[in-house]
Amino acid sequence: MKLDVIQPDAMPPAPAGASPPLPCCAKPATGELGWQCPMHPDVTASAPGSCPVCGMDLVPIGQSTTAADDAKHARRRLVICSVLAALLMVVSMTAMAGHALGWTGGPVHWLAGTAGNWLQLVLATPIVIWGGWPILTGGWAGFRRGRPTMFSLVGLGIAVAFLASVVATLAPGMFPGAFRRHDGSVETFFESAGMIVVLVMVGQALESRARRGTGAALRSLLDLAPPTAERDPGGETVPLVQVRPGDRLRVRPGGRIPTDGTVLEGTTTCDESLLTGEPLPVPRGPGDKVLGGAINGPALVVIRADTPASDALVARIARMVREAQTRRAPIEALADRAAAIFTPAVLLVALATFLGWAWFGPEPRLALGLVSAVSVLVIACPCSLGLATPLSMTVAIGRGARGGILVRSPAALESLAATGTFAFDKTGTITRGTPRLVGWIALAPDGQPITRSAAGGGRPVPETGPERDLLRRVAAVESASEHPLARAFAAAADEAGFVLPPVTDATAVVGKGIRGRCDGAGVSVGSAGLLRDSGVSAADLEGGAIATWIAAATAMGQTIVLAAVDGRLAGGFAVADPPREEAAEVMRVLRQRGATLELLSGDTTAAAGHVGWLVGIDHASGGLSPAEKAERISALRSAGARRVTFVGDGINDAVALAAADTGIAMGSGADVAIETADITLLSGGLAAVPRALALADATMRNVWQNLLLACIYNLLALPVAAGLLYPWLGHVTSPMLAAAAMSVSSLSVIANALRLRHVPLPAVGAADGPGIRRA
């Protein structure tokens, strides 16, 4: 069985007016892949900066040397701030212990007073101003635009805690007596401000690491092609960017194919698993296409470059993945709307908390109110809510790319998971698009059948008898024809192991068939009209066993090819495009899911109906034009509440792919179909459809799990931060503990999203025999 492999030209070119594509051999430099906001992936830029929506620093879409340096700098800043925060905690805890135990002398007494506040100010200032500057500026940007974000809440909490502590240190006399300790100093919150900054930095570092991991598939694709190529003849090594279409290139055993091309010399196998997901090496010989980045097998081959490196399949896949990861799914709007309401609500809760403690709380009521208000601001930071959807989608798109499933946008995954109706094209989608011999009949001189195959389901190649000799002669004559049906006889002859006899006087008759001499006899192959012209009587053609056989085969949408030898009707052959081996099993899986199945074909109604019956599709429509397919898709969308997915591969499927909620293109299909589709299946044929569906289902489950985790966290954390447990615990929640809880909530969402990197995509194999329903 020949494996499905996407052709090098089966990916869309870069859109008009876009920047020059990145050569697949080049290591991406900063700005070439672009930068994006981790919270708003649709916000992108060509240079580092901050997000105009939330104020977060933009992160590189692909990893690069400069990006690695930035990550190293961020780690250094985190380490320095962590050391300072640890010292700050020692000083603060020592001072608290001194006050609690009443120590009045020695270093502890010094740390517990005004001097200790000054030392904490020295330690906390670089943490807040240097380490927390991105948080503060991001939070202020949200307030300035009237759209407070998660950084707005955290930044406000840090600013309130730090500024109140600075004033308490510089001018303690400005505070009411309720804030003062017995020595006249005022309690500070430097340790809370510092630890909030450090914990947010830890969360961002882990999130950044997770995002770099989700880009591994993209970076591995960019690294697939070698940086150089070897010309043939001469063996000159040149940079890959200098290779032009038409250049002859030499690929040594074990080397990587430099760019998409065609084999000119040599026979080998190629490992294309990283490109197509196909685990087994595929044979390649003269005339076969090879993919840039594939690993050459045991033999040296010479190829002709068909594309420059920047237009090779690997580069175009990378562009599609990169573009998909910058788009947003509709469900992300739900999280955005929730965050837009949630942030102002939290500000009101924090204000109400402070006023409630100030009016009704025990002494020191103002201090307790300030601590509780800051804790509310920090613990309610909607980091986890903002990460819930985009991170899951980004991880899922990377997982799909590794499995040969290219997702154009997160919206495609959301739509596919909600699909209730799957509509399929027939030729090239349900079937392989290659005609095959599926039946035959051999006649005695008196017109009685000597042997025949079962209608629509016999052996594709006769094993013995007169029909085998007839097939040998017909295949020999058809070998001189360019008609597509001739390929079916060539394949049957190859399967039977025939050595075809020579043919003389071959003459093609347009619209009817072909004649020739083989084994000393005149052989005519084609329509009934050609055989009548060759001397076969109408009675022989229209009566008896042959008429019954023709009627049965025609009812199943098969094409009839009749054969005459020396003017006598010798038999006939039925040619059809049979279903893919996995088709029936795929349909069974989709039916088990509760989906409705439709077959939309431009072929005859009989052919569409028979193929639908074979694979288990109950609703089949034939004779449809591209516009009529799109109309049927629109009607299905209007009739049901659930989404409609169309699976196709040809140029005539482009309109239907665009009309469906989700369009899925077979990777072996036409460029325009793949460019129009939302999802492209690089390998696996129809079996990749349930795999894509499994990925979509797992992604949406993960998104809802993340949203649920974020909501449960906030519902439980807000009352605790406001002081609900004070009557039982005797103390309020420290802002430092609130920051720790906020970080834990974000990490739980990140960890859950990263599970998608290893989500299993189930394999769907062939059903009974060649994947057809048995009568």
Side-chain angles (χ1 to χ4, degrees):
M1 179 181 69
K2 187 174 181 180
L3 302 176
D4 284 336
V5 177
I6 186 170
Q7 299 302 322
D9 57 352
M11 296 293 294
S19 57
L22 178 69
C24 61
C25 60
K27 300 298 183 287
T30 301
E32 288 185 290
L33 287 181
W35 299 70
Q36 70 180 141
C37 173
M39 298 294 293
H40 300 86
D42 55 332
V43 176
T44 60
S46 59
S50 59
C51 174
V53 178
C54 66
M56 288 189 70
D57 286 340
L58 302 180
V59 297
I61 295 174
Q63 183 70 338
S64 65
T65 303
T66 306
D69 292 341
D70 292 341
K72 184 177 180 180
H73 173 71
R75 287 194 299 270
R76 186 187 306 116
R77 183 170 60 178
L78 175 60
V79 170
I80 293 174
C81 288
S82 298
V83 172
L84 292 175
L87 295 174
L88 180 61
M89 286 297 298
V90 171
V91 174
S92 175
M93 292 299 104
T94 302
M96 290 181 185
H99 284 293
L101 299 177
W103 293 337
T104 58
V108 174
H109 175 72
W110 182 80
L111 292 176
T114 303
N117 287 356
W118 278 96
L119 179 57
Q120 291 184 52
L121 173 62
V122 171
L123 293 172
T125 298
I127 300 176
V128 173
I129 303 302
W130 178 54
W133 186 252
I135 304 172
L136 297 173
T137 55
W140 171 245
F143 283 120
R144 190 176 65 247
R145 288 186 308 275
R147 293 178 58 187
T149 64
M150 65 166 202
F151 271 3
S152 301
L153 294 178
V154 176
L156 184 60
I158 293 171
V160 170
F162 182 73
L163 293 177
S165 301
V166 170
V167 174
T169 301
L170 299 179
M174 295 178 60
F175 284 79
F179 278 85
R180 298 183 188 178
R181 296 181 290 219
H182 64 275
D183 61 352
S185 63
V186 177
E187 183 178 359
T188 61
F189 308 101
F190 285 122
E191 85 288 348
S192 295
M195 288 305 297
I196 291 172
V197 171
V198 170
L199 289 170
V200 171
M201 291 173 64
V202 169
Q204 286 185 312
L206 293 174
E207 178 191 339
S208 177
R209 180 177 179 181
R211 289 187 175 276
R212 288 197 300 272
T214 63
L218 175 59
R219 294 193 298 274
S220 65
L221 285 172
L222 291 170
D223 291 339
L224 279 181
T228 60
E230 183 179 350
R231 293 191 186 278
D232 181 81
E236 177 188 4
T237 299
V238 298
L240 187 55
V241 293
Q242 295 183 11
V243 172
R244 297 291 179 266
D247 288 355
R248 290 172 59 96
L249 304 175
R250 183 183 301 166
V251 185
R252 298 184 179 277
R256 289 195 179 272
I257 307 295
T259 187
D260 297 349
T262 303
V263 177
L264 298 178
E265 301 175 12
T267 301
T268 186
T269 58
C270 288
D271 181 356
E272 300 172 350
S273 57
L274 289 178
L275 291 167
T276 65
E278 177 57 56
L280 298 177
V282 291
R284 292 289 181 257
D288 290 336
K289 299 289 186 180
V290 289
L291 303 179
I295 301 176
N296 184 28
L300 184 146
V301 293
V302 175
I303 69 170
R304 180 187 66 243
D306 292 338
T307 64
S310 59
D311 287 334
L313 173 66
V314 62
R316 284 183 275 175
I317 290 175
R319 283 200 295 269
M320 283 188 66
V321 174
R322 184 175 70 245
E323 290 167 2
Q325 291 181 338
T326 63
R327 296 176 180 172
R328 290 162 60 81
I331 196 173
E332 293 186 53
L334 174 64
D336 288 347
R337 290 194 298 270
I341 299 172
F342 181 76
T343 302
V346 169
L347 293 175
L348 293 176
V349 171
L351 178 61
T353 298
F354 177 77
L355 295 177
W357 278 98
W359 289 340
F360 307 110
E363 296 294 342
R365 61 182 63 180
L366 293 179
L368 291 174
L370 180 62
V371 169
S372 297
V374 172
S375 295
V376 167
L377 290 173
V378 173
I379 208 168
C381 169
C383 299
S384 55
L385 189 63
L387 288 171
T389 299
L391 188 58
S392 294
M393 292 294 181
T394 302
V395 175
I397 289 171
R399 174 65 182 95
R402 294 200 311 273
I405 301 168
L406 286 187
V407 181
R408 189 177 291 273
S409 69
L413 289 174
E414 182 179 348
S415 177
L416 179 59
T419 295
T421 298
F422 284 87
F424 295 86
D425 172 50
K426 183 180 76 72
T427 305
T429 302
I430 295 294
T431 69
R432 292 195 173 277
T434 304
R436 289 186 57 195
L437 191 63
V438 295
W440 68 87
I441 183 171
L443 301 176
D446 60 0
Q448 294 301 310
I450 301 174
T451 182
R452 58 185 165 191
S453 68
R459 300 181 305 276
V461 178
E463 296 179 357
T464 59
E467 69 275 13
R468 185 175 176 87
D469 181 64
L470 178 62
L471 174 61
R472 185 177 63 87
R473 290 183 173 185
V474 169
V477 173
E478 286 283 6
S479 66
S481 173
E482 298 295 329
H483 194 278
L485 291 180
R487 292 194 291 269
F489 290 96
D494 288 342
E495 185 176 341
F498 287 153
V499 176
L500 298 181
V503 176
T504 60
D505 300 330
T507 303
V509 181
V510 178
K512 292 186 176 182
I514 188 172
R515 296 191 185 100
R517 295 197 63 80
C518 177
D519 289 341
V523 179
S524 298
V525 182
S527 66
L530 177 69
L531 267 63
R532 277 195 295 267
D533 295 342
S534 302
V536 178
S537 68
D540 290 341
L541 291 169
E542 297 172 2
I546 189 68
T548 303
W549 181 83
I550 289 175
T554 303
M556 294 184 290
Q558 298 169 0
T559 300
I560 304 303
V561 178
L562 299 175
V565 178
D566 286 337
R568 181 187 66 82
L569 180 61
F573 297 89
V575 178
D577 185 10
R580 293 173 180 265
E581 287 80 357
E582 72 276 12
E585 180 65 11
V586 169
M587 301 306 137
R588 187 189 66 79
V589 171
L590 296 180
R591 284 198 307 273
Q592 283 185 339
R593 178 188 170 86
T596 302
L597 306 179
E598 293 256 351
L599 181 63
L600 307 179
S601 175
D603 205 343
T604 65
T605 300
H610 182 66
V611 169
W613 180 84
L614 287 177
V615 301
I617 298 178
D618 295 326
H619 304 283
S621 302
L624 301 179
S625 67
E628 289 171 334
K629 287 185 181 180
E631 290 174 2
R632 177 58 180 163
I633 293 294
S634 298
L636 290 172
R637 293 180 63 188
S638 301
R642 299 182 69 186
R643 307 290 180 88
V644 177
T645 292
F646 181 77
V647 186
D649 77 318
I651 292 176
N652 63 335
D653 295 329
V655 182
L657 287 167
D661 292 299
T662 310
I664 299 180
M666 310 291 284
S668 55
D671 285 2
V672 66
I674 294 173
E675 186 172 359
T676 309
D678 302 297
I679 298 173
T680 300
L681 308 177
L682 292 182
S683 64
L686 271 181
V689 173
R691 297 174 69 234
L693 190 57
L695 177 64
D697 287 340
T699 303
M700 295 311 299
R701 281 197 304 271
N702 193 271
V703 167
W704 285 111
Q705 289 167 2
N706 285 345
L707 291 173
L708 183 63
L709 284 172
C711 291
I712 290 176
Y713 160 77
N714 282 294
L715 288 175
L716 295 178
L718 274 176
V720 174
L724 179 66
L725 300 181
Y726 181 83
W728 294 276
L729 300 180
H731 62 81
V732 294
T733 303
S734 164
M736 177 183 62
L737 295 178
M742 179 265 293
S743 296
V744 168
S745 73
S746 296
L747 293 180
S748 65
V749 168
I750 292 172
N752 190 51
L754 288 180
R755 292 191 306 111
L756 287 172
R757 296 173 64 182
H758 308 290
V759 63
L761 302 181
V764 177
D768 181 18
I772 60 175
R773 180 189 288 176
R774 298 302 181 187

